[in-house]
Amino acid sequence: MIEADRPSPEAFLRQAAQEGRGRLKVFLGAAPGVGKTWEMLTDGRHRREAGVDVVIGVVETHGRRETEALVEGHEIIPRRQVDHQGHSLGEMDIDAILERRPRLVLVDELAHSNAPGSRHPKRYQDVEELLGAGIDVYSTLNIQHVESLNDVVASFTRVRVRETVPDSILENAEIEVVDIPPDELIERLKDGKVYIPQEATRALTHFFSKSNLTALRELALRRAAQAVDAQMLDHVRSNALAGSFAVGERIVVAVSELPVAAGLVRAGKRLADALRAPWTAVYIETRRSQAMTDDDRKQLADTLALASRLGASTATVPAASVVEGLRSFARDARATQIVIGKSARPWWFELRHGSVVDQLVRTIDDVAVHVLPGEPDAKAAARPKLAIPGRWGKPAHYLWSLAMVAVMTALGRLLIEILDLGNISLLYLVPVMFAAATFGLRAGLFAGLASSLAYNFFFLPPTGTLTVNNPENVVSILVLLGVAVVTSQFAARVRAQADLAQSSARQNAALASFSRQLTAAPDQDVLMQAICAEVGRLLDVRAVLLLPSVDGPTLRAAVPPEDRLEQIERAAAQWAMDNEQPAGRGSATLTASDWLFHPLRTTRGVLGVLGLTRDDAREPVRSDQVPLLMSLLDQASIALDRMELEEASLRARQVDERDRLRSALLSSVSHDLRTPLTTILSAAQEMRRHPTAEMAGTIETEALRLNRFVSNLLDMVRVEAGALPMKAEATELFDAAASAAHDTRASLAGHEVRIDINSGIPLVRLDPVLLHHCLINLLDNAGRYADPGTPITIRASRTADAILLSVIDQGPGIAPGNEKRVFETFTRLEGSDRAKHGTGLGLAIVKGFAEAMGLSVEAGNASDPHGARFTIRIPEALIVTHPADEDIS
C-alpha cells in the first residue's frame, strides 16, 4: 500500500535547518549514578584517539575517582567565574570555546541553570549557541529533566524537578541510553559511588526506590525510542522511501459525523494506551461533506474535540473518496494500524456505492485494520435520512443547461451541410461538460438527456419526431447518452475536488494569517487584542478574552470593545475555566448566556477563555465553522502560553539582574565607602595629635574620591531614569581633552597624558559637561588599570562619516568576549584588567552619557603597544561644518 512518493518538503526543511550546525549527542539516563558522564568521557577519549579535536567545556566528577581518571589527558577549557551574592561560581566559558573552535566539546549536565549574570540562563542554551557555530557537542541528561515528562515523574517520585530541558532539544539529537538495572544502581548507591553515605541513605528511602527506578528506566527507554522513531520518519519522508517502517506503532482512527464515531475514538484511545503509541483521529472530507446538516457537523466537531481531549492529534483531509483519503493519510503518517467503523447499510446501498471497509482491506497490504461494528440494523433504519438542501440544484442551472443544448442545436443546424451526423453528435458534449463542471452531476445528466433528445429530434431521420428508423442511429443515441453520463461523472468529480481544495486553501490561508498576526504581537495585551480581532473577523462574531484572577474571570480584550459582562456570562466563563469545557449558548451548560465560552487549554492548564456571540441572537458558531474555530483556539492557546513563558522568563531575568545589582551595590558601597572613610577617620585622628599638611591632603584626596563615588551613583540614577539635563553647543575636542586630563591629574599620578588631536579635527556639537564626564571616567579607568609609569593617550581621528575619540592605555587589555560586558552596571570582570578596585559604574556612565548625546562607545584592544582602547564615535550629523555660525565652548 505504501508506495514511493515525492520527498516531504517539511522533512527537507528540517534537514536544511541542520546544515552547517554541529551535531548533538545526548547520553540519557534514568537517574544519577547510571554512568552517563563516564560513558561521555569514554566516547570522547575514543574520538580524541581517532584524531578528533576534543575539549572539555564542563564536567562534574562529583569526586568519583574513576570519572576523574577519565578526565586526565583531555584539554579542559577554564571556567568563567561569575560573582553571585558574594560567591564566585564557575560556569562554562562559551567565548573561550568559540575562540578555541574544537571539533567536539564535552558538556556535562545539559539541564543545569547558569549563575545570574551569565549570557544564557540555561546550559542547554549555551549548547545551542555552540551547535549554531558548527561545533559538535556531547552532553548528559537524566530523564526527569525532560520538560514533557516533568509532571509524570513528579506523580510517582513526589519530587518535582525545577531544571528542565525542552523536548525540542532532543528532536535533532543522537540519543544513547546509559542503562543499568535498578538493583545494580541501588548497590552502587549503597557503596557510596553515587552520593556520600548520609545522602545515600536518605536517597534510598525516597527517590531511589526500586519502583521509582524501574519507572524512570522505562520512561528513558520509551523517550529514546520516540526520538529515534521521529528521526527515522524524517529520513524516510525526505528520501521518499516506500514502506510503513513499523518499528514503532502509529495509530489512525477514521471518524465521521455518525454517533458511533465517539466509540471509535475511545477504542482508539484504549489501543494507543495499550501499545503506548501516538495516535491521530482523522476525518476525510469528500463531496458528501457538503450535504451534512448542522447536527451532523456538530456531531463531527464533538467527536474531534473528544479525540483531542483524550490526547490524539486531529486532522481533516480533503479527498475524492474516503478510501483514497485514508490511504494517502496513512501513507504520509506511516501508520501501522487503522481503526474504522462499519456502518449497517442495506445490501443495495453497498452494491451501488461499495463498502469502504472492504475496499480499504483489499487495497492496504502492510497496515492492520481494526473494524468495529456500527449501529444495529434497527437503529440504522430508524436514523433519519439526510436532508440535503439544494441537492438537485437551482432551476436556473437547468435553464442554463437547456440553453446550452439549444445553442449547440442551432450551431449543428448551421453546419449540417458540411458535417456528418457523427461529428454533430460531438457538439452535444460541450453543454454536458459545461453543466457538470459548473452546476454539478445532476445538471450534467440533465444536459446529457436533453442533448440525446435534441440530437434525435433535429438530426436523426425522420427529423421532427423522436422515432428512430435506422438501428445504427439507436446505437448513436445510446453512445451519446453513455458518453454524456460518464463525462458528467468525471466533470462533477473534478468540480467537487476543486471545491474541496478551494475550501481547504481558504482555511489554511486563514490559519496562516492568524498565526502571522499572533507572532507579530510584541506583548500580551496586543496579542489578546489580536486574537479577538482575528477570530471576530474570520467567524463574523463578537469576541472577548478573559483571564483568571483572584476576583474571577477578568475581561482583558474585546472586539468590538466591551465594558462589562453580565453575571450569567461570568458564571459561564468561570465554569469553562474550571471544567475545561465549553459553556454558554450553543453548549450543554449555562445555555441562558448570550455568549459561548471556549477554554484556551495548554499542557500547563487553562490560560483563559475566549467568548463568542452574534448580534442577531443566532448560534455564535455555525456548525461548518467548528473545525476552523478549534484550530484557532489551539493556535491562540499556544501563542498565549509562549507569551506568558517569555514574560515569566523576563521577570526571572529582571529579578536575577536586580539581585546582581543589589549584591554589586552592597559590595561597592561596603568597599568604596568604607575605604575612604577609614582613611579620613585615621587621618583626622592623627591630625588631632600631630596636625600636618600631608594629613590634610590625605583627607582632601579621600573626600574627593568619596564625592566622585557618590556623584557616579547619582549620575547612574539619572541615566537610568532618562533625566539627563543636556545643552549641546560647538565644542573643541582638544580643549575638552586637556580639561579632563587636568581634572584627573591626581588619579593619573605616574602616568603621562598625551593628547594626539591635530588642528584639522573640526568642532562637534555636544554637551561639554557630559563629554567632560565621559573623558574623566575613561581617564580614571585607564589610570587604574594601565601598567605603572606607562603613558595614556587621548587620540582623535577622522573617518568618512564620523570622528573617533579614543582613550588608550598600556596594560593587559580586555579579555576577548568581554568588550560589551565592561559597560554593564557594577561590572568588574575577573581574569582581566577590569578586575581591580572600583565601583563598576564609570564605564556604564560613559555609555549612558554618550548615548544620551547621540554617540556610541565601544571597547577593544590596541595592538602596538598592547592595552585597552575605549572609543567614542561621533557621527557626521554632530560635526560642525560652518564654525563661523557657532559659539565655541
Side-chain angles (χ1 to χ4, degrees):
M1 160 278 196
I2 307 294
E3 52 203 30
D5 202 350
R6 67 184 181 90
S8 166
E10 292 80 6
F12 261 140
L13 288 174
R14 284 190 289 271
Q15 284 193 355
Q18 298 302 312
E19 292 294 329
R21 287 175 58 86
R23 293 186 301 113
L24 173 63
K25 181 175 182 179
V26 175
F27 294 85
L28 183 66
V34 297
K36 301 180 300 298
T37 304
W38 189 90
E39 189 68 24
M40 179 183 71
L41 290 170
T42 301
D43 272 24
R45 171 171 288 184
H46 292 160
R47 293 290 303 275
R48 180 168 55 84
E49 292 172 351
V52 178
D53 183 14
V54 182
V55 301
I56 290 179
V58 59
V59 164
E60 303 292 349
T61 64
H62 300 290
R64 300 166 188 162
R65 289 191 298 274
E66 61 271 21
T67 306
E68 292 173 349
L70 287 173
V71 171
E72 295 177 4
H74 281 293
E75 178 185 347
I76 302 175
I77 302 297
R79 300 192 189 189
R80 178 177 56 84
Q81 298 302 312
V82 178
D83 287 333
H84 177 59
Q85 296 183 350
H87 300 283
S88 181
L89 305 177
E91 297 291 357
M92 183 172 66
D93 195 336
I94 310 175
D95 295 315
I97 297 173
L98 292 174
E99 183 180 5
R100 169 68 172 74
R101 293 200 65 83
R103 184 70 187 88
L104 171 65
V105 59
L106 309 182
V107 180
D108 207 2
E109 297 184 0
L110 184 62
H112 170 77
S113 294
N114 293 328
S118 300
R119 182 183 308 177
H120 302 124
K122 298 289 186 179
R123 184 167 290 168
Y124 72 79
Q125 295 171 317
D126 297 341
V127 168
E128 282 284 286
E129 184 173 345
L130 296 177
L131 294 172
I135 300 173
D136 293 346
V137 177
Y138 282 2
S139 192
T140 63
L141 181 70
N142 285 325
I143 190 63
Q144 63 263 33
H145 294 288
V146 178
E147 177 65 43
S148 64
L149 301 177
N150 187 260
D151 292 338
V152 177
V153 173
S155 67
F156 60 82
T157 63
R158 301 295 187 268
V159 176
R160 182 171 294 278
V161 177
R162 300 300 177 186
E163 295 180 325
T164 57
V165 172
D167 290 59
S168 58
I169 298 295
L170 301 180
E171 289 177 358
N172 298 310
E174 176 187 351
I175 297 179
E176 178 176 327
V177 179
V178 183
D179 181 47
I180 62 173
D183 290 335
E184 186 176 335
L185 179 56
I186 291 173
E187 286 301 320
R188 286 175 51 84
L189 193 67
K190 291 179 179 177
D191 294 340
K193 296 180 179 180
V194 180
Y195 296 129
I196 61 176
Q198 295 83 353
E199 292 183 356
T201 302
R202 186 169 60 253
L204 281 170
T205 59
H206 294 85
F207 189 85
F208 279 81
S209 67
K210 185 173 181 178
S211 58
N212 284 352
L213 294 177
T214 302
L216 290 170
R217 188 186 188 196
E218 181 182 357
L219 281 177
L221 293 172
R222 289 191 178 278
R223 187 61 185 83
Q226 289 176 11
V228 172
D229 187 58
Q231 292 166 13
M232 181 270 295
L233 287 180
D234 256 4
H235 176 75
V236 167
R237 289 165 179 163
S238 62
N239 291 278
L241 301 178
S244 61
F245 289 81
V247 293
E249 299 293 342
R250 292 177 287 276
I251 300 170
V252 170
V253 180
V255 301
S256 68
E257 76 283 0
L258 300 177
V260 70
L264 294 179
V265 168
R266 296 186 183 96
K269 168 64 173 173
R270 292 193 296 271
L271 181 61
D273 286 346
L275 299 176
R276 299 291 181 92
W279 63 297
T280 303
V282 60
Y283 171 69
I284 307 300
E285 187 178 12
T286 63
R287 288 181 297 169
R288 188 174 179 276
S289 304
Q290 300 174 353
M292 288 197 308
T293 64
D294 286 347
D295 290 340
D296 292 328
R297 294 184 184 278
K298 187 175 186 304
Q299 179 67 51
L300 175 62
D302 291 343
T303 301
L304 292 175
L306 173 64
S308 180
R309 289 198 303 273
L310 294 179
S313 302
T314 59
T316 300
V317 178
S321 68
V322 173
V323 174
E324 181 181 331
L326 270 178
R327 291 181 64 223
S328 174
F329 184 81
R331 179 175 65 247
D332 293 340
R334 264 39 185 202
T336 61
Q337 305 200 37
I338 293 178
V339 178
I340 189 170
K342 182 174 178 61
S343 300
R345 303 285 192 185
W347 64 268
W348 55 264
F349 184 92
E350 292 192 2
L351 184 65
R352 177 186 175 191
H353 299 282
S355 169
V356 171
V357 172
D358 293 343
Q359 294 179 47
L360 193 63
V361 172
R362 282 197 301 268
T363 55
I364 286 184
D365 298 326
D366 53 355
V367 175
V369 179
H370 300 263
V371 181
L372 274 67
E375 300 169 328
D377 291 344
K379 189 173 180 180
R383 177 177 165 81
K385 196 172 182 179
L386 284 178
I388 305 176
R391 182 174 181 175
W392 289 92
K394 299 178 180 178
H397 297 168
Y398 297 93
L399 292 176
W400 275 105
S401 302
L402 199 59
M404 286 292 296
V405 173
V407 170
M408 290 300 106
T409 301
L411 183 60
R413 296 296 299 177
L414 292 175
L415 301 177
I416 188 65
E417 301 297 331
I418 59 176
L419 296 178
D420 58 26
L421 290 179
N423 290 329
I424 286 178
S425 67
L426 296 178
L427 293 175
Y428 285 105
L429 294 180
V430 174
V432 171
M433 296 183 65
F434 169 79
T438 307
F439 305 128
L441 175 61
R442 287 168 176 78
L445 293 176
F446 172 79
L449 180 61
S451 297
S452 298
L453 294 175
Y455 179 63
N456 182 9
F457 189 85
F458 289 103
F459 295 101
L460 294 182
T463 57
T465 69
L466 297 178
T467 304
V468 180
N469 291 334
N470 191 339
E472 293 182 357
N473 292 337
V474 174
V475 174
S476 298
I477 292 175
L478 293 178
V479 169
L480 175 61
L481 186 59
V483 170
V485 170
V486 173
T487 304
S488 297
Q489 291 276 6
F490 282 124
R493 179 174 296 182
V494 170
R495 177 176 180 266
Q497 290 177 342
D499 289 344
L500 287 174
Q502 187 177 10
S503 174
S504 178
R506 283 197 302 268
Q507 180 163 328
N508 289 338
L511 291 175
S513 172
F514 187 64
S515 178
R516 285 195 299 271
Q517 293 287 338
L518 302 191
T519 303
D523 55 50
Q524 191 180 60
D525 290 336
V526 176
L527 173 63
M528 291 187 293
Q529 197 68 21
I531 290 173
C532 292
E534 285 299 297
V535 170
R537 181 180 66 84
L538 294 172
L539 301 180
D540 190 24
V541 294
R542 293 162 57 196
V544 295
L545 198 152
L546 297 89
L547 297 186
S549 70
V550 293
D551 298 324
T554 302
L555 184 64
R556 294 294 301 274
V559 173
E562 289 278 348
D563 294 332
R564 59 186 297 273
L565 294 175
E566 299 297 331
Q567 188 63 34
I568 183 65
E569 274 77 41
R570 292 190 175 276
Q574 186 66 59
W575 194 94
M577 287 182 185
D578 294 340
N579 296 274
E580 301 187 15
Q581 296 291 329
R585 187 179 182 85
S587 70
T589 305
L590 296 174
T591 56
S593 170
D594 292 333
W595 291 78
L596 170 63
F597 294 94
H598 278 272
L600 299 173
R601 294 189 298 264
T602 68
T603 55
R604 299 192 301 120
V606 175
L607 302 181
V609 291
L610 183 68
L612 309 172
T613 191
R614 292 182 182 274
D615 292 329
D616 55 9
R618 289 186 296 141
E619 291 286 338
V621 181
R622 299 196 312 269
S623 58
D624 60 314
Q625 294 176 326
V626 171
L628 176 59
L629 174 62
M630 294 299 105
S631 298
L632 296 175
L633 290 173
D634 288 342
Q635 288 200 24
S637 301
I638 293 171
L640 268 179
D641 194 32
R642 173 184 57 82
M643 187 66 71
E644 284 197 4
L645 290 174
E646 287 180 357
E647 292 186 354
S649 176
L650 177 61
R651 288 193 297 270
R653 288 197 299 271
Q654 290 173 342
V655 169
D656 290 342
E657 179 66 12
R658 202 158 51 238
D659 289 344
R660 187 186 71 82
L661 292 177
R662 184 183 296 111
S663 299
L665 178 60
L666 290 174
S667 174
S668 294
V669 169
S670 64
H671 178 273
D672 293 281
L673 284 180
R674 184 184 300 163
T675 301
L677 285 174
T678 302
T679 305
I680 291 172
L681 288 173
S682 299
Q685 292 171 357
E686 184 66 24
M687 282 189 68
R688 185 174 297 171
R689 294 191 295 269
H690 308 289
T692 63
E694 182 181 358
M695 289 295 103
T698 299
I699 291 175
E700 181 180 9
T701 301
E702 294 301 324
L704 290 173
R705 177 183 169 189
L706 189 61
N707 181 68
R708 186 162 62 249
F709 173 73
V710 174
S711 297
N712 280 342
L713 282 176
L714 294 175
D715 288 341
M716 198 65 242
V717 170
R718 288 203 299 270
V719 167
E720 294 183 347
L724 283 175
M726 190 165 57
K727 180 181 179 183
E729 54 188 65
T731 304
E732 171 67 59
L733 289 182
F734 184 91
D735 293 344
S739 175
H742 178 269
D743 288 351
T744 56
R745 62 189 184 278
S747 60
L748 299 182
H751 297 281
E752 177 190 358
V753 179
R754 298 175 181 175
I755 301 178
D756 183 9
I757 303 177
N758 62 51
S759 57
I761 297 297
L763 302 176
V764 292
R765 176 169 287 280
L766 301 172
D767 186 310
V769 176
L770 296 185
L771 178 61
H772 184 72
H773 276 287
C774 289
L775 291 174
I776 283 179
N777 278 291
L778 289 178
L779 288 172
D780 181 71
N781 185 77
R784 184 175 295 125
Y785 303 122
D787 293 338
T790 57
I792 297 171
T793 303
I794 305 176
R795 179 176 298 154
S797 59
R798 181 71 190 270
T799 65
D801 59 349
I803 293 176
L804 305 181
L805 182 62
S806 303
V807 176
I808 307 166
D809 65 45
Q810 296 181 24
I814 301 172
N818 289 329
E819 290 86 353
K820 293 183 178 179
R821 293 190 62 225
V822 296
F823 294 106
E824 295 178 4
T825 308
F826 296 118
T827 296
R828 291 179 292 177
L829 300 177
E830 299 291 339
S832 74
D833 67 328
R834 306 300 116 186
K836 298 188 179 181
H837 65 278
T839 64
L841 286 173
L843 296 180
I845 290 172
V846 171
K847 184 175 183 294
F849 283 8
E851 290 177 350
M853 292 187 288
L855 315 178
S856 60
V857 59
E858 60 183 24
N861 289 317
S863 55
D864 187 21
H866 181 74
R869 177 202 301 268
F870 291 87
T871 301
I872 298 175
R873 186 180 183 277
I874 306 171
E876 182 72 28
L878 298 179
I879 299 176
V880 175
T881 54
H882 301 289
D885 300 332
E886 301 288 340
D887 294 328
I888 301 176
S889 171

